[in-house]
Amino acid sequence: MIDLRSDTVTRPSAAMRAAMHAAEVGDDVYGDDPSVNRLQDYAADRFGYEAALWFPTGTQSNLAALMSHCGRGDEMIVGQDAHTYRYEQGGAAVLGSIQPQPIVNQPDGSLASADIAAAIKPDDLHFARTRLLALENTIGGKVLPPSYVRDATAFARSRGLATHLDGARLMNAVIASGQSERDAVAGFDSLSLCLSKGLGAPAGSLLFGAKPLIANAKRWRKALGGGLRQAGVYAAAGLHALEHQVVRLAEDHDNAAHLAAGLAALGLNVEPVQTNMVFVEIAQEDLAALKLYLPEQGVIASLGTRTRLVTHLDAPRDKIDTALAAFGRYYAVKQHATATYRAAASPAAGGLPPGLAELYGGMR
């Protein structure tokens, strides 16, 4: 099967499985797991933070970060399209008692400086206290412009706000932009990095920050049910991913561009591609048929009128070409059927009987 739903669907490689099998383990709640400690120390140094903390999931890592920055009744500024606001069940509000102040994302995924400024509440007992600016990179497959990130974090700091980056796919942004990892996260007080998306680990995210923030996040991790015991098996996979599976993200980006070009050649409307996500417009009339046809051709996709297709390490170029061929066959058959219908329905041909006209009316 060719699974293009997400880059979370990857399987551990043989080398990653070997690293997991050989992992030293201990009780991570006590801080005794050598593999977890090795990953955390290595990652913190690599990204230029004082400390890092392993989490089972990115949702939990983000939530613990938000709860470490904000107290009960505090407010965070966040984009309407941000994962922390839109796709994490409102955890910041439900579990953290944090008020989100969502503002509209610009077409490039950024938050306009004027909108950020307008969202900051005055020092007045009628309002929640604005404590945090939360950004995401990449967001919807788009890379935040480095100059924007520098300006936004500097502005937040000038207004007394902490900054958090949901960097679930940060390494895609690093590869696409050519920035160093440290430059990409400069200005953020905390960073959440997912290891189980494009990097290919089976589970795990890392939260980075200063030692006091990470110590606080560790308490929240335990409260949120994320205190695993022998987590070194997962940590070994994450370390292997960081050491061996970052540079290859460029292949995913190339494959996404190839997929986008192929779909556009079929006459579909495809949004510009920056990283490993392709957004393509599918006509409503085609959805039902494609949902039946593509799985029969070995292609899994989350289809909608705006469909997201994601490339990853388990979808190499030959599989992308197979998926393109499946789309191509569908649209070729549709084009042929449409032409046949129009010819048969023409006045010169005498038109279609009422029953057939109703059956094939969607092809007009």
Side-chain angles (χ1 to χ4, degrees):
M1 300 299 290
I2 304 161
D3 195 338
L4 299 176
R5 291 173 298 175
S6 178
D7 47 8
T8 61
V9 302
T10 58
R11 308 296 200 273
S13 65
M16 182 177 285
R17 288 178 183 272
M20 296 169 70
H21 179 76
E24 297 179 83
V25 297
D27 191 323
D28 184 45
V29 174
Y30 289 117
D32 293 341
D33 191 301
S35 295
V36 173
N37 293 339
R38 189 177 304 117
L39 169 63
Q40 291 172 167
D41 292 343
Y42 167 81
D45 179 69
R46 179 165 167 172
F47 286 85
Y49 283 92
E50 284 187 355
L53 183 65
W54 185 88
F55 281 80
T57 73
T59 296
Q60 193 177 82
S61 175
N62 275 326
L63 180 55
L66 302 180
M67 294 170 71
S68 297
H69 283 297
C70 299
R72 184 178 178 87
D74 287 343
E75 177 183 82
M76 68 171 186
I77 296 173
V78 64
Q80 288 273 10
D81 297 331
H83 205 278
T84 51
Y85 174 70
R86 191 169 185 177
Y87 298 107
E88 296 181 5
Q89 290 196 25
V94 175
L95 301 176
S97 296
I98 301 165
Q99 173 173 285
Q101 174 58 72
I103 57 180
V104 175
N105 289 89
Q106 299 301 303
D108 65 356
S110 66
L111 303 179
S113 298
D115 291 343
I116 296 173
I120 299 173
K121 303 299 185 291
D123 184 10
D124 184 308
L125 58 80
H126 293 88
F127 300 105
R129 294 169 295 188
T130 309
R131 296 296 197 195
L132 179 70
L133 172 65
L135 299 178
E136 184 175 342
N137 197 17
T138 63
I139 178 166
K142 299 173 183 177
V143 180
L144 290 182
S147 59
Y148 164 77
V149 172
R150 288 191 295 270
D151 291 344
T153 53
F155 175 75
R157 192 176 304 110
S158 73
R159 298 296 298 270
L161 304 184
T163 52
H164 173 68
L165 177 63
D166 177 2
R169 294 182 174 88
L170 174 69
M171 302 313 289
N172 292 92
V174 167
I175 294 297
S177 68
Q179 281 186 292
S180 73
E181 292 155 1
R182 290 193 174 200
D183 284 346
V185 301
F188 288 101
D189 297 300
S190 60
L191 158 71
S192 178
L193 174 72
C194 191
L195 302 169
S196 64
K197 291 188 171 68
L199 297 181
S205 286
L206 288 165
L207 178 63
F208 300 81
K211 288 181 179 179
L213 182 136
I214 294 300
N216 198 20
K218 189 170 185 179
R219 292 187 62 85
W220 283 124
R221 184 184 72 172
K222 189 70 172 72
L224 295 170
L228 301 193
R229 301 299 177 172
Q230 287 71 42
V233 175
Y234 289 117
L239 185 61
H240 178 86
L242 285 174
E243 290 180 332
H244 301 288
Q245 297 187 174
V246 172
V247 174
R248 63 146 305 281
L249 290 172
E251 298 176 23
D252 298 342
H253 299 176
D254 289 342
N255 285 336
H258 179 73
L259 176 60
L263 293 171
L266 296 175
L268 299 176
N269 183 26
V270 184
E271 297 176 18
V273 173
Q274 294 186 29
T275 55
N276 68 325
M277 292 186 183
V278 177
F279 289 91
V280 56
E281 183 180 324
I282 304 291
Q284 182 69 45
E285 67 188 47
D286 293 320
L287 287 178
L290 280 170
K291 287 177 180 179
L292 292 173
Y293 180 72
L294 289 180
E296 292 178 350
Q297 305 302 305
V299 180
I300 305 175
S302 298
L303 296 174
T305 53
R306 183 176 184 257
T307 291
R308 185 188 78 165
L309 303 173
V310 186
T311 57
H312 49 79
L313 62 86
D314 286 347
R317 181 60 62 88
D318 62 330
K319 289 192 174 184
I320 298 300
D321 285 335
T322 299
L324 278 172
F327 275 100
R329 285 191 296 273
Y330 170 81
Y331 284 104
V333 169
K334 179 186 177 183
Q335 184 179 27
H336 176 74
T338 301
T340 301
Y341 167 82
R342 288 173 177 167
S346 68
L352 289 175
L356 285 179
E358 180 180 348
L359 178 62
Y360 292 105
M363 295 182 179
R364 299 183 187 203

